[in-house]
Amino acid sequence: MPVVRRPRLGFGLIGPRRGRHEVSPEQFEALALPVGDDGVVIGSDEQGAPAVLGLGRPTAFDVVLVGGAWTAQVIALRAVGTGARVAVETGRRQLWTALAQSANTGQQSITLHDVGRVPPQGPSLHSPVLVVRDCGARPPRGRAGSAPWQSVLTLLPYPSPATPRLMAQADLVGVQRVAPDEARQIGRTMSLSPDDVEALSTLPDGVTLWCTRSARTYVTTQATEPEAGLLGAARRME
C-alpha cells in the first residue's frame, strides 16, 4: 500500500537539511547581548571580530549611550549605509549639520529636528528608522518613541539622576569613559563586575562597554577614512 504524505501547508519548498547549531551552557551568556551578526557594524570586539548592532528590528528597541556624540554620529552614518533613515532630535544642531549634509545625497537620509519636534517617521520593514536623541543628560520624554522597525538611541553626555531610570528601561546600554564615582553608579544599575567598574574610568577614546544586565562586551570603534575626514578622530567629549 503506497504511503500517503500529508501536504506541508504554509512552509513552501523543503530546504536542505543542515546539522543543528548547538552551543555549550558556557556560551549562553554571549548570546544574550543584542550585538550580533546582522545589522550595523559598530566596531570590533575584544577578539577583533566585527561587532554588529541590530537596529532594524520588528520590535521596539531602545539603546542608551553614555558617551560622546562622535560615536553616535558614526552609528548614525553607518545605519544610513544599511538603508535606514535617521532622525536626529537635538539641541546642538550645529554639531550634526555637516553629517546630515554629507549623508543627504539625493534623498533625506538624515533629518535634524529640534527637541520635542520629531514628526512621525512611518517606519517599515523596507524603510527602518533610527531616532537619535541628543537632548542632554536629562532628556525630556520624546514624541518619537521606539516601535517596530524604529529604534531609539538616547545619547547622554554624562550620567545624571535620570540615568538609572533610562538604563533600566533600555534594551542595550553603552558606556564610554566616566569618572570613578559615575562608574560605580552605573555598575550598581547594570550589575557590572568590579573589574568592569574599574575599567570604565580608564577606557580609551572610541572604546565602549556595551552591556545588558546579563552580558557585556567591549567594542572599539575606528573611523573609516571618509568618516575620519568628516568627523575627525574618535573622542569622548565634544
Side-chain angles (χ1 to χ4, degrees):
M1 180 177 179
V3 177
V4 178
R5 297 186 180 274
R6 301 177 63 181
R8 292 166 54 91
L9 300 178
F11 290 96
L13 298 176
I14 301 176
R17 294 292 182 262
R18 302 182 186 275
R20 293 184 177 182
H21 298 280
E22 298 180 353
V23 295
S24 65
E26 291 76 20
Q27 294 175 293
F28 287 162
E29 185 177 33
L31 300 178
L33 189 66
V35 177
D37 58 1
D38 183 18
V40 179
V41 178
I42 59 173
S44 55
D45 63 17
E46 296 170 271
Q47 288 72 44
V52 184
L53 178 57
L55 292 172
R57 297 168 176 263
T59 56
F61 188 62
D62 283 286
V63 181
V64 167
L65 172 61
V66 180
W70 184 90
T71 301
Q73 290 177 328
V74 170
I75 293 174
L77 199 58
R78 294 180 182 182
V80 169
T82 66
R85 292 179 289 120
V86 177
V88 181
E89 179 183 6
T90 181
R92 303 185 291 178
R93 183 178 286 262
Q94 74 283 355
L95 189 64
W96 293 86
T97 299
L99 179 69
Q101 291 175 342
S102 176
N104 294 339
T105 54
Q107 58 183 347
Q108 293 294 303
S109 300
I110 297 181
T111 55
L112 306 183
H113 309 274
D114 293 333
V115 176
R117 297 298 182 90
V118 181
Q121 296 297 304
S124 68
L125 168 63
H126 301 292
S127 185
V129 173
L130 170 63
V131 177
V132 178
R133 305 199 69 217
D134 176 26
C135 307
R138 300 186 183 188
R141 185 178 298 276
R143 293 178 57 186
S146 59
W149 305 113
Q150 178 166 296
S151 296
V152 175
L153 188 156
T154 300
L155 174 65
L156 307 177
Y158 52 85
S160 76
T163 301
R165 173 181 58 83
L166 294 171
M167 286 184 168
Q169 295 172 345
D171 299 293
L172 179 66
V173 171
V175 186
Q176 297 185 325
R177 187 174 61 251
V178 293
D181 59 333
E182 295 171 334
R184 288 189 288 271
Q185 174 193 7
I186 292 172
R188 289 191 295 270
T189 302
M190 298 304 300
S191 302
L192 298 179
S193 69
D195 289 343
D196 288 324
V197 171
E198 183 178 357
L200 286 182
S201 60
T202 62
L203 292 179
D205 290 345
V207 176
T208 308
L209 171 62
W210 292 99
C211 58
T212 66
R213 290 185 181 276
S214 60
R216 53 196 55 86
T217 187
Y218 290 90
V219 174
T220 300
T221 302
Q222 294 182 329
T224 63
E225 185 173 341
E227 291 169 348
L230 178 63
L231 304 175
R235 55 194 178 276
R236 168 63 178 89
M237 298 296 294
E238 301 307 318

